[in-house]
Amino acid sequence: MTTRTPRALIVGMGIGGLATAMRLHEIGWEPVIVERAPDRRPAGYFIGLFETGRATAQRMGVLDAIGNRADMTSVTYDIERDGRRRPGMGYGDLPGGPRLILRGDIEAALYDTVAPVTEIRYGTTPVALDEHPGGVNVTLRTTTGDDASENTERFDLVVGADGLRSTVRRLAFGPHEQFMRPLNHIIAATVMKDPIPGFRPQDGVVLAEPGRSVWTFPFTDHQPGLLFNYRTTDEDAQFRRPPIDSLRAAFGPEPTGPVLEHLLQQFEQADDYLFDSVHQVEMNTWHTDRIVVLGDAAWCLTLYSGMGASTAMAGADLLGTLLQRNPGNIPRALREWDQKLRPFMDIQQKSGRTQGLTMFVPQTPREKAMRTVMQKMLSRPAGKKVMSALMAKGFKEKSIDIAAV
C-alpha cells in the first residue's frame, strides 16, 4: 500500500512562507509556494533578530547563512535639530543583543535551501478557497504579462504567509477591517545613498521628538537603513499626497536643521521605499481545519516589537513539528499549534504597542524628557550597565525558544 504524499499550498514567499516550505519538505510533505510578485523581492530593510529567531534559525540550519551585519565600531547618537548630539543606545545595544540584518538576508538563506526542492509559482495568487473534509480546493490565478489564467487544485493544507493584508485571511476568515488594529502611526523606510555629513558612515543617529522620530541603521557592508515614524489621527490623509509631503508636514512646522533635512532628502531621492500605516492583526483563531495563517497575516507584531522575523520562523518551525507529531490529523496539529503560540504572541503584541512603540517614538513631552535622561545615563559606563539591567526584564520574552517542543 502506497501512502500519498500530503500537499500544502503556501501563499507568500517571505520569511514565513519560505520557512514553512522548508519545514514541510523536511517532514515529507510536498509544498508548493505561490507568490503574487513576478519574481523575488529586493533585500528590503532593517531587521533585528533576537534569540527567539536565532534559536529557530540555528535549529533549521540557516543561522550562519543569515549572518550579522552589525558593525562593532558603530556609535549611535541621539541628536537634536540644532545639531547637538550625545552618545545613545543603538538597536544592537538592546538587551538580548539582536543581530542587525536585512529582511533579505533571512529570505536568501531560506530560499537557497527551499528553491531546489520546492515548486515556486510567481505572479500567482488564490482567488477562491473551498474547504472540505478531505482538503481545500484552491482556485489560483496566474498573471503573465497581459494574460491571466485560472485553475483549481486540491491541497491538504493551505498556509497563508502573505503579510498584513493577507489574501488567504480575507478569503477564509473575513475582510481586513475585521482583524486589523490601527496603532495610528505611519512608517517610512528606505536605504540611504549618501552618508550623513559630520558623522562616520558606520554611525547611526536617532532624532526623537514627541509623536515623531527618525532612525538610521548602519551596516558593515551595506548602505544604512532609514526609518521615519510619526503619529497621526488621520491615516487616510497621509496617502492623499506624495509621501515626502506627508513626511515634511509631520516633521514641521519647525525648521528641519541640517541632519533631518539631509534624511528627508535621502527619502525623496530613494529609488525604492516603504510608506505605510502601522497595524497589528488580532484574531480569535488562526486556523480552520485545513487553512492556517502565520506571521504578519496572523499576528503582525509590527516593527516596534522587533520580533516579526523571529516569530515568522518560529511559527513555521513549530507548525512542521506538530504536523509531524500528528500524522493524518491536520486539525489537531493546528489546534495544538495555536494553543502553544497564542500566549507568547499576546505578550509580543502588547510589548509592540507599549514598550516597543515608545522606544521608537516618544509619545509625550514627558517621555521625551525621560528618554533624554536615559541617554545621558547611557553615555557613562556605569549608567549604561544600570540601564541595561533595568531594561533586560522587559526583553526577556524575546529570548524564549517558543518553537522548541
Side-chain angles (χ1 to χ4, degrees):
M1 180 177 178
T2 301
T3 302
R4 183 179 63 83
T5 300
R7 297 180 77 216
L9 176 70
I10 301 168
V11 183
M13 205 177 72
I15 293 170
L18 288 166
T20 301
M22 179 176 176
R23 287 292 288 121
L24 294 192
H25 179 266
E26 288 175 346
I27 67 171
W29 282 55
E30 179 189 345
V32 176
I33 299 177
V34 296
E35 166 59 42
R36 180 191 302 271
D39 49 35
R40 290 181 65 188
R41 300 183 298 175
Y45 308 117
F46 161 82
I47 283 177
L49 193 66
F50 284 90
E51 182 57 30
T52 296
R54 294 198 296 268
T56 303
Q58 181 69 55
R59 187 165 47 250
M60 296 176 73
V62 296
L63 184 60
D64 289 344
I66 290 171
N68 188 356
R69 294 181 184 265
D71 189 325
M72 296 300 103
T73 69
S74 176
V75 177
T76 295
Y77 293 94
D78 256 42
I79 65 169
E80 306 292 341
R81 294 192 186 215
D82 60 10
R84 287 177 294 166
R85 69 175 78 174
R86 69 181 71 87
M89 177 176 279
Y91 202 88
D93 298 321
L94 292 173
R99 290 195 180 195
L100 306 184
I101 55 177
L102 300 170
R103 183 200 70 221
D105 294 332
I106 303 179
E107 291 182 356
L110 293 168
Y111 178 86
D112 288 346
T113 300
V114 168
V117 295
T118 304
E119 180 183 357
I120 300 174
R121 306 177 193 175
Y122 294 101
T124 303
T125 189
V127 293
L129 303 175
D130 178 18
E131 183 175 3
H132 51 84
V136 186
N137 294 334
V138 185
T139 302
L140 295 166
R141 176 178 295 156
T142 300
T143 303
T144 306
D146 295 330
D147 298 325
S149 61
E150 292 187 4
N151 71 293
T152 300
E153 299 179 45
R154 179 193 170 279
F155 295 90
D156 297 279
L157 175 68
V158 173
V159 181
D162 47 344
L164 173 63
R165 296 172 179 85
S166 164
T167 297
V168 172
R169 190 185 66 228
R170 175 177 57 80
L171 292 174
F173 297 95
H176 297 319
E177 296 76 13
Q178 185 175 340
F179 306 108
M180 290 171 59
R181 173 178 179 167
L183 297 193
N184 302 312
H185 281 69
I186 298 291
I187 57 171
T190 192
V191 175
M192 296 172 57
K193 293 182 178 180
D194 303 313
I196 304 171
F199 291 82
R200 299 183 307 167
Q202 68 267 39
D203 290 338
V205 303
V206 179
L207 189 155
E209 300 173 339
R212 56 195 183 187
S213 70
V214 57
W215 291 61
T216 70
F217 303 97
F219 300 109
T220 53
D221 52 359
H222 192 275
Q223 293 296 97
L226 172 62
L227 175 68
F228 292 91
N229 313 263
Y230 66 89
R231 187 176 60 232
T232 179
T233 57
D234 187 353
E235 288 184 355
D236 292 341
Q238 309 310 307
F239 299 95
R240 290 197 288 264
R241 56 193 172 193
I244 186 61
D245 292 346
S246 288
L247 282 173
R248 288 191 176 276
F251 282 82
E254 302 91 337
T256 56
V259 175
L260 179 56
E261 180 59 34
H262 176 79
L263 298 178
L264 287 166
Q265 290 178 8
Q266 290 292 293
F267 184 86
E268 187 172 17
Q269 297 165 8
D271 298 324
D272 186 37
Y273 63 81
L274 169 69
F275 184 83
D276 204 356
S277 51
V278 181
H279 296 79
Q280 290 186 339
V281 172
E282 296 182 340
M283 302 178 68
N284 293 328
T285 180
W286 297 320
H287 66 91
T288 63
D289 283 349
R290 296 277 182 164
I291 301 170
V292 62
V293 289
L294 60 75
D296 283 354
W299 48 74
C300 193
L301 305 177
T302 77
L303 64 85
Y304 298 134
S305 75
M307 291 290 285
S310 295
T311 56
M313 284 194 294
D317 186 16
L318 183 63
L319 180 62
T321 298
L322 293 178
L323 285 169
Q324 186 177 36
R325 290 186 178 183
N326 292 278
N329 197 334
I330 295 172
R332 185 171 66 189
L334 298 184
R335 287 195 301 271
E336 291 181 6
W337 178 83
D338 193 310
Q339 291 166 3
K340 170 77 171 178
L341 285 180
R342 189 164 294 276
F344 179 74
M345 296 307 174
D346 287 345
I347 291 171
Q348 301 305 326
Q349 283 199 326
K350 182 178 180 181
S351 173
R353 61 179 180 262
T354 55
Q355 179 188 43
L357 175 59
T358 57
M359 183 192 77
F360 273 95
V361 192
Q363 297 296 297
T364 64
R366 181 174 181 271
E367 288 182 0
K368 164 64 175 173
M370 291 175 61
R371 179 185 178 85
T372 301
V373 171
M374 183 183 74
Q375 298 296 345
K376 287 181 178 179
M377 291 183 64
L378 289 169
S379 67
R380 304 178 180 92
K384 190 169 187 176
K385 185 176 180 180
V386 171
M387 289 303 303
S388 296
L390 290 173
M391 294 175 65
K393 182 178 180 180
F395 282 79
K396 66 180 181 179
E397 290 85 3
K398 301 182 190 300
S399 298
I400 298 172
D401 186 4
I402 190 63
V405 293

